[in-house]
Amino acid sequence: MTIRVLVADDQEIVRTGLTIILNTQPGIEVVGSAGDGRRAVELARRLRPDVCLFDIRMPGMDGIEATRALAGPTVAEPLAVVVITTFDLDEYVYAALRAGARGFLLKEAGPDLLGQAVRAAANGDALIAPSVTTRLLKAFADTGPAAPRQQPVEPLTDREEQVLVAVARGRTNKEIGDEFHITLSTVKSHVTSLMTKLGVRNRVEVAMWAYETNRIRTRW
């Protein structure tokens, strides 16, 4: 089954490049593109793509607003949004994840990682590139809301704590299963349980919760 993608970026050369890369990937097709957030939202609502790939900074309506409009907590049928950005310590990525984005990539990510992110989002998963996870999420956790994170409605089990850290480090479900010698369905059950207990909507928010509650210790 072909994964239908909508690309939005205010630079035509970037849109063209992303479109060419994605269209050469097996099972992925770009069905639309937009140069600003407002047009992207209009196209997304009309085309209902499997995945939206949005730049953070766009004129009129930026990627954060567009993400919130399509994937925010009040959206009845949210779409999968992956945010792309130049790193530059872009604090807006944190807000985009809060708005409902399923993952993020750097613009210089290669074709393989881009394809993985699109496939992960289409499958209801999320790709947080391991190469940027600790630095980026830690930075946004430090600059995020000062209010303490809500505690789990039920205590996490030892296994859930392990899966929590693995998710925050950017591991896929398969990698988590291999690491802990458990089945894919068991991993999915643990991730679902984590989302329920933490009161979050997706594994990106699971990862942010882990960083904001100091589950992850990193060296700088």
Side-chain angles (χ1 to χ4, degrees):
M1 184 175 179
T2 301
I3 299 171
R4 301 166 65 252
V5 181
L6 172 66
V7 173
D9 193 292
D10 61 336
Q11 298 182 55
E12 184 176 358
I13 190 169
V14 174
R15 290 199 308 276
T16 301
L18 290 171
T19 298
I20 291 172
I21 290 171
L22 290 172
N23 279 338
T24 59
Q25 299 257 351
I28 297 177
E29 178 188 4
V30 175
V31 295
S33 65
D36 65 79
R38 199 172 305 281
R39 175 62 175 161
V41 170
E42 292 173 356
L43 278 176
R45 286 174 173 163
R46 178 162 58 86
L47 299 174
R48 301 297 298 180
D50 300 302
V51 178
C52 299
L53 188 64
F54 287 171
D55 182 24
I56 279 283
R57 302 187 181 193
M58 293 186 287
M61 176 186 287
D62 64 21
I64 297 169
E65 292 180 83
T67 298
R68 187 177 296 111
L70 298 171
T74 61
V75 178
E77 296 181 6
L79 293 173
V81 179
V82 174
V83 169
I84 54 175
T85 181
T86 52
F87 183 39
D88 271 346
L89 203 61
D90 195 339
E91 70 274 13
Y92 297 118
V93 175
Y94 187 91
L97 297 177
R98 286 283 190 210
R102 226 172 243 185
F104 61 82
L105 285 177
L106 302 184
K107 283 189 177 178
E108 59 263 33
D112 289 344
L113 196 57
L114 184 62
Q116 288 176 41
V118 167
R119 291 187 180 92
N123 290 329
D125 206 340
L127 187 143
I128 306 174
S131 61
V132 298
T133 297
T134 53
R135 184 176 178 184
L136 195 55
L137 279 180
K138 178 67 166 58
F140 295 134
D142 287 346
T143 58
R149 266 292 192 173
Q150 180 178 341
Q151 292 305 302
V153 293
E154 294 179 33
L156 303 185
T157 66
D158 290 343
R159 179 64 85 196
E160 286 170 347
E161 289 280 3
Q162 293 172 332
V163 172
L164 171 69
V165 171
V167 169
R169 292 195 182 282
R171 305 291 191 268
T172 65
N173 284 351
K174 184 180 184 304
E175 290 170 340
I176 295 171
D178 291 343
E179 180 178 352
F180 299 122
H181 307 290
I182 55 180
T183 65
L184 195 60
S185 61
T186 300
V187 176
K188 291 179 180 178
S189 294
H190 285 312
V191 173
T192 299
S193 179
L194 280 171
M195 289 190 287
T196 300
K197 288 184 176 182
L198 303 181
V200 300
R201 295 166 297 170
N202 54 56
R203 63 194 291 135
V204 174
E205 292 186 0
V206 169
M208 288 195 295
W209 190 93
Y211 276 87
E212 291 174 344
T213 56
N214 295 318
R215 256 57 174 195
I216 304 295
R217 302 290 180 181
T218 57
R219 294 181 180 179
W220 303 92

